[in-house]
């Protein structure tokens, strides 16, 4: 009797596991774009880039996490992010979004010699967007360059980041990121 | 049996805490030991990283002033020029200072903003110098007290392993015995330099007051120096004990201190605003406004505080910014009365007017901002606002 009950529990458990494993948030669309259902957006993922399934955010990389990444973070306004000193608010202007984004980067203790190269207005999917270009040195001495676009959509902040070592890698896949930004669409 | 075990543990603990006697820096028997040389070399490397980091605040006049204060105290104690102390200022909102075994003292902008006069800051610096002269790093190192795990989060931004920073600096504090010695020696140093003894306890009272303004999660990265209340009592007791030997006209040098540290205090406000330490920023602004009622910068920062202040505990409906915006406009106007070409104050005012829905005036003020500051880095944002209006 006990053995049968155990078998049933095991079977239910296995079925449950399968159910979870097959739930994919990342799907290909007929127009060649890919859609992230969880974060409610679609974009053209450059050829050869792969998605990191273990991250809570949308993360893709071409050569590996340390060499090039595109990250999309969607977060609700008014909620303090871990480790940051400021919060995004609903009616912030792009300039204020940039201020918060700068404080996020400055609060990251692993970014040494952080320097902001550009801080200007941009547009992503028709939204007024804060655009930052920056560079920093990792604790291992690697010089990394990054770009970050931040914009508000309803009560969500979308933060799209591209980072790669300044030497060789940043330029090499920059056009991939440009295409990703140009094709980025929020699904209403 | 249990009694014997407790006794054995007590003996072991006492041995662990026991400090090592070494000649002071500058004494006739003073010589640099091999293990100390290694500690100093590592301290040099760490200081180099700190000096290259964004935390270093460069102000030659301020550094010269602080080193003069240090030399005044060293000379009064009979130390000659073979004792090498260097001093730098760090952007950090903690009301604190930090010393390294290689003779480097870092004073934080938060300390300079919190102190009222030279005598107070001299007390804190004298305490740190005392650690260097008594070679407390070496003594603590040899007594083998390991505090590494408690302070691992403090050092990441500097790219320095926390254990190494603790091993070669005063960041984690020393044993109670060494801290009390440093209090006593520091007190004697500031007293013999002619400073008012009463300011010593006040210095630590102010440090304590500033440390308690913010919740722990928003305090500065170096805000860990312990036992401040204990030190206040130490200094009050020392002042009482030395009453009979007090000089007739002790110095506090308030005005010169405030003049020279003014810019560093403004920098501290900016650092506090970035770190969301609004209560500290508010306090520093109030004190600066009282001392500098005709300086436009102070009112500009008051405007910035009112514009940027966020209360993450309040939900969106309860986060009424209307009052803050009215105060912000008043502060920016005051700054602009004192300096009509103050571009940043114009921008701040324009952004608040925009938030208030006063679009016509916002347009006029922001246009003026771009006119005064044609190479503004945020031109694209402002032009977009002007076009939207």
């Amino acid at each position: 009797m006990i053995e049968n009950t155990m078998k049933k529990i095991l079977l239910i458990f296995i079925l449950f596991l399968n159910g979870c494993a097959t739930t994919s948030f990342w799907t290909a669309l007929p127009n060649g774009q890919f859609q992230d259902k969880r974060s409610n957006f679609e974009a053209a993922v450059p050829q050869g880039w792969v998605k990191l399934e273990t991250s809570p955010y949308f993360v893709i990389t071409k050569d590996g996490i340390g060499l090039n990444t595109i990250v999309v973070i969607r977060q609700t306004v008014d909620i303090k992010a871990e480790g940051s000193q400021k919060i995004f608010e609903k009616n912030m202007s792009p300039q204020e979004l940039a201020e918060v984004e700068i404080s996020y980067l400055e609060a990251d203790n692993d970014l040494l010699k952080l320097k902001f190269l550009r801080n200007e207005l941009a547009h992503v999917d028709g939204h007024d967007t804060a655009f930052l270009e920056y560079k920093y040195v990792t604790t291992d001495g690697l010089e990394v360059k990054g770009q970050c676009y931040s914009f508000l959509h309803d009560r969500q902040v979308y933060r799209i980041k591209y980072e790669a070592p300044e030497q060789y890698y940043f330029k090499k896949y920059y056009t991939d990121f440009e295409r990703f930004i140009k094709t980025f669409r929020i699904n209403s | 049996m249990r009694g014997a075990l407790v006794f054995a543990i007590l003996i072991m603990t006492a041995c662990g805490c026991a400090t090592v006697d070494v000649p002071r820096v500058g004494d006739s028997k003073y010589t640099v030991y091999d293990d100390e040389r290694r500690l100093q070399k590592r301290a040099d490397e760490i200081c180099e990283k700190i000096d290259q980091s964004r935390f270093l605040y460069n102000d030659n006049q301020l550094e010269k002033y602080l080193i003069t204060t240090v030399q005044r105290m060293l000379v009064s104690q009979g130390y000659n020029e073979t004792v090498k102390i260097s001093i730098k200022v760090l952007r950090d909102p903690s009301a604190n200072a930090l010393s390294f075994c290689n003779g480097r003292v870092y004073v934080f902008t938060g300390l300079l903003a919190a102190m009222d006069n030279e005598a107070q800051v001299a007390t804190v610096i004298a305490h740190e110098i005392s650690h260097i002269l008594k070679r407390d790093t070496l003594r603590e190192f040899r007594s083998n007290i390991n505090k590494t795990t408690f302070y691992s989060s403090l050092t990441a931004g500097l790219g320095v392993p926390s254990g190494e920073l603790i091993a070669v600096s005063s960041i984690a504090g020393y044993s109670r015995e060494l801290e009390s010695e440093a209090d006593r020696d520091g007190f004697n140093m500031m007293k013999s330099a002619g400073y008012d003894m009463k300011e010593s306890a006040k210095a630590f009272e102010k440090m304590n007051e500033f440390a308690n303004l913010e919740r722990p999660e928003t305090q500065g990265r170096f805000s860990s120096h312990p036992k401040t209340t204990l030190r206040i009592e130490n200094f009050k007791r020392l002042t009482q004990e030395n009453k009979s030997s007090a000089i007739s006209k002790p110095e506090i040098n308030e005005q010169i201190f405030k003049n020279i540290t003014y810019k560093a205090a403004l920098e501290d406000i900016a650092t506090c605003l970035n770190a969301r330490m609004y209560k500290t920023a508010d306090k520093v602004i109030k004190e600066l406004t009282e001392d500098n009622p005709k300086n436009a910068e102070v009112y500009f920062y008051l405007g910035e505080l009112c514009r940027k202040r966020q209360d993450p505990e309040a939900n969106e409906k309860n986060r009424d910014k209307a009052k803050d915006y009215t105060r912000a406009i008043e502060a920016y106007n005051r700054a602009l009365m004192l300096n009509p070409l103050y571009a940043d104050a114009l921008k701040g005012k324009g952004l608040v007017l925009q938030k208030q829905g006063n679009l016509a005036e916002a347009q006029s003020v922001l246009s003026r901002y771009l006119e005064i500051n044609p190479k503004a880095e945020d031109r694209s944002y402002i032009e977009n606002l002007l076009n939207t209006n």
Side-chain angles (χ1 to χ4, degrees):
Chain A
M1 179 64 188
I2 293 172
E3 201 179 347
N4 281 344
T5 311
M6 289 298 286
K7 276 181 184 170
K8 277 180 191 169
I9 291 171
L10 189 63
L11 187 63
I12 291 166
F13 187 61
I14 287 169
L15 283 168
F16 178 73
L17 271 185
N18 280 338
C20 288
T22 53
T23 306
S24 175
F25 293 105
W26 188 236
T27 49
L29 297 174
N31 62 3
Q33 304 245 113
F34 280 82
Q35 184 184 44
D36 187 275
K37 287 178 182 170
R38 187 173 45 179
S39 295
N40 202 28
F41 73 84
E42 63 176 69
V45 173
Q47 205 167 16
W49 288 66
V50 290
K51 186 169 181 284
L52 191 73
E53 294 293 345
T54 50
S55 171
Y57 307 116
F58 173 84
V59 182
I60 53 174
T61 179
K62 173 88 176 178
D63 300 302
I65 290 294
L67 295 176
N68 37 39
T69 51
I70 294 173
V71 181
V72 181
I73 300 171
R74 185 182 73 153
Q75 66 189 75
T76 307
V77 292
D78 291 326
I79 292 174
K80 192 183 159 201
E82 193 180 340
S84 98
Q85 302 288 352
K86 291 191 175 184
I87 50 173
F88 288 107
E89 289 180 4
K90 192 182 165 190
N91 296 316
M92 277 184 161
S93 65
Q95 194 168 11
E96 288 171 316
L97 294 177
E99 282 179 9
V100 179
E101 203 63 69
I102 287 169
S103 84
Y104 274 39
L105 287 162
E106 287 185 339
D108 189 334
N109 287 330
D110 291 334
L111 312 188
L112 308 177
K113 297 185 183 176
L114 178 65
K115 195 175 171 187
F116 292 95
L117 309 170
R118 287 163 73 190
N119 177 2
E120 56 200 48
L121 184 81
H123 293 92
V124 175
D125 188 25
H127 298 82
D128 285 348
T129 302
F131 169 73
L132 290 174
E133 186 173 87
Y134 54 91
K135 62 180 186 178
Y136 63 85
V137 178
T138 67
T139 48
D140 297 327
L142 186 67
E143 288 180 13
V144 173
K145 196 169 174 182
Q147 289 192 345
C148 178
Y149 292 84
S150 316
F151 64 88
L152 281 165
H153 178 82
D154 293 333
R155 297 184 52 79
Q156 307 288 333
V157 185
Y158 282 83
R159 306 167 60 209
I160 311 166
K161 267 187 184 185
Y162 170 62
E163 282 193 0
E166 188 173 20
Q167 200 171 21
Y168 183 69
Y169 284 97
F170 186 87
K171 267 188 187 170
K172 190 178 177 192
Y173 297 111
Y174 181 64
T175 46
D176 285 354
F177 178 59
E178 274 188 319
R179 182 149 184 267
F180 186 85
I181 286 293
K182 276 181 188 162
T183 57
F184 190 93
R185 300 280 177 271
I186 303 286
N187 299 123
S188 307
Chain B
M1 180 64 190
R2 182 174 288 181
L5 189 63
V6 170
F7 183 69
I9 291 169
L10 276 174
I11 294 286
M12 285 165 73
T13 311
C15 289
C17 296
T19 52
V20 180
D21 279 329
V22 291
R24 285 175 174 241
V25 176
D27 279 4
S28 56
K29 289 179 183 172
Y30 169 69
T31 178
V32 181
Y33 303 110
D34 281 349
D35 52 353
E36 188 176 27
R37 196 168 284 118
R38 284 197 297 275
L39 288 171
Q40 287 177 346
K41 190 170 177 287
R42 190 63 192 118
D44 287 343
E45 289 165 8
I46 292 170
C47 290
E48 196 184 331
K49 283 193 175 179
I50 293 175
D51 293 350
Q52 287 174 0
S53 74
R54 65 180 184 274
F55 302 112
L56 189 76
Y57 175 68
N58 281 309
D59 182 337
N60 288 338
Q61 193 195 8
L62 177 59
E63 276 177 26
K64 275 182 193 166
Y65 169 73
L66 292 172
I67 202 69
T68 306
T69 309
V70 168
Q71 280 163 352
R72 173 181 170 166
M73 291 192 285
L74 288 175
V75 169
S76 74
Q77 293 274 295
Y79 287 102
N80 58 25
E81 64 275 11
T82 56
V83 177
K84 300 285 182 205
I85 303 285
S86 61
I87 198 156
K88 299 253 180 201
V89 181
L90 288 186
R91 276 185 193 90
D92 189 283
S94 321
N96 220 328
L98 166 71
S99 60
F100 281 82
C101 59
N102 60 352
R104 170 63 58 82
V105 176
Y106 288 105
V107 172
F108 303 155
T109 50
L111 181 76
L112 297 170
M115 297 292 103
D116 291 328
N117 54 51
E118 188 179 306
Q120 288 181 7
V121 84
T123 305
V124 181
I125 294 172
H127 176 96
E128 294 301 325
I129 294 172
S130 171
H131 283 309
I132 297 169
L133 298 177
K134 291 190 293 107
R135 302 157 87 183
D136 283 346
T137 302
L138 178 69
R139 294 165 77 196
E140 191 93 325
F141 178 73
R142 288 184 177 178
S143 72
N144 201 22
I145 294 171
N146 187 356
K147 299 169 185 166
T148 306
T149 50
F150 293 105
Y151 296 94
S152 57
S153 64
L154 289 172
T155 53
L158 305 170
V160 175
S162 59
E164 293 185 24
L165 181 60
I166 290 162
V168 296
S169 77
S170 63
I171 191 166
Y174 295 100
S175 66
R176 180 176 289 204
E177 185 187 357
L178 295 186
E179 291 294 354
S180 295
E181 273 180 31
D183 281 344
R184 192 184 58 237
D185 289 3
F187 176 86
N188 288 333
M189 208 181 285
M190 65 89 74
K191 182 194 155 214
S192 61
Y195 290 116
D196 189 342
M197 293 183 288
K198 291 196 287 293
E199 296 301 317
S200 60
K202 288 182 192 168
F204 283 85
E205 277 171 351
K206 288 218 80 172
M207 284 170 79
N208 201 34
E209 184 188 351
F210 272 74
N212 291 325
L213 282 173
E214 308 286 346
R215 288 170 301 169
E217 69 267 26
T218 49
Q219 289 179 357
R221 74 184 350 330
F222 293 120
S223 60
S224 62
H225 219 129
K227 312 177 196 90
T228 311
T229 46
L230 184 72
R231 284 189 191 156
I232 294 168
E233 294 311 311
N234 280 346
F235 283 107
K236 281 184 178 169
R237 183 177 45 77
L238 287 166
T239 306
Q240 198 62 32
E241 286 170 5
N242 285 273
K243 222 173 180 179
S244 56
S245 60
I247 59 169
S248 60
K249 283 186 181 173
E251 289 181 29
I252 60 168
N253 293 346
E254 184 174 354
Q255 203 49 53
I256 187 172
F257 172 80
K258 285 186 171 169
N259 289 345
I260 289 177
T261 58
Y262 173 69
K263 281 184 187 166
L266 291 179
E267 186 71 25
D268 186 57
I269 297 168
T271 310
C272 287
L273 291 178
N274 275 339
R276 217 167 53 85
M277 292 173 69
Y278 300 119
K279 286 178 184 166
T280 309
D282 202 9
K283 185 159 177 62
V284 177
I285 288 169
K286 270 182 192 150
E287 291 186 2
L288 281 189
T289 314
E290 282 171 20
D291 296 330
N292 307 277
K294 290 184 179 171
N295 286 17
E297 295 99 332
V298 185
Y299 298 104
F300 162 70
Y301 277 111
L302 176 60
E304 289 291 276
L305 170 69
C306 296
R307 180 171 76 85
K308 291 182 173 181
R309 184 157 35 199
Q310 291 178 320
D311 180 5
E313 303 306 319
N315 61 33
E316 194 185 327
K317 281 181 186 170
N318 294 332
R319 197 180 299 144
D320 178 17
K321 282 195 159 181
K323 280 183 189 170
D324 263 357
Y325 283 155
T326 308
R327 274 191 73 201
I329 292 287
E330 285 168 8
Y332 289 130
N333 281 342
R334 192 90 185 259
L336 290 165
M337 260 170 60
L338 292 161
N339 178 5
L341 298 178
Y342 200 155
D344 286 338
L346 280 166
K347 180 177 82 176
K349 182 180 173 181
L351 293 176
V352 174
L353 287 168
Q354 165 92 15
K355 291 275 180 192
Q356 288 178 318
N358 193 345
L359 302 183
E361 201 180 342
Q363 183 131 17
S364 153
V365 172
L366 291 172
S367 299
R368 178 88 178 118
Y369 162 68
L370 290 182
E371 202 181 303
I372 290 174
N373 192 9
K375 288 182 180 174
E377 284 183 0
D378 56 357
R379 174 169 274 276
S380 63
Y381 290 116
I382 302 299
E383 281 177 340
N384 183 55
L385 277 179
L386 292 173
N387 294 334
T388 312
N389 291 352

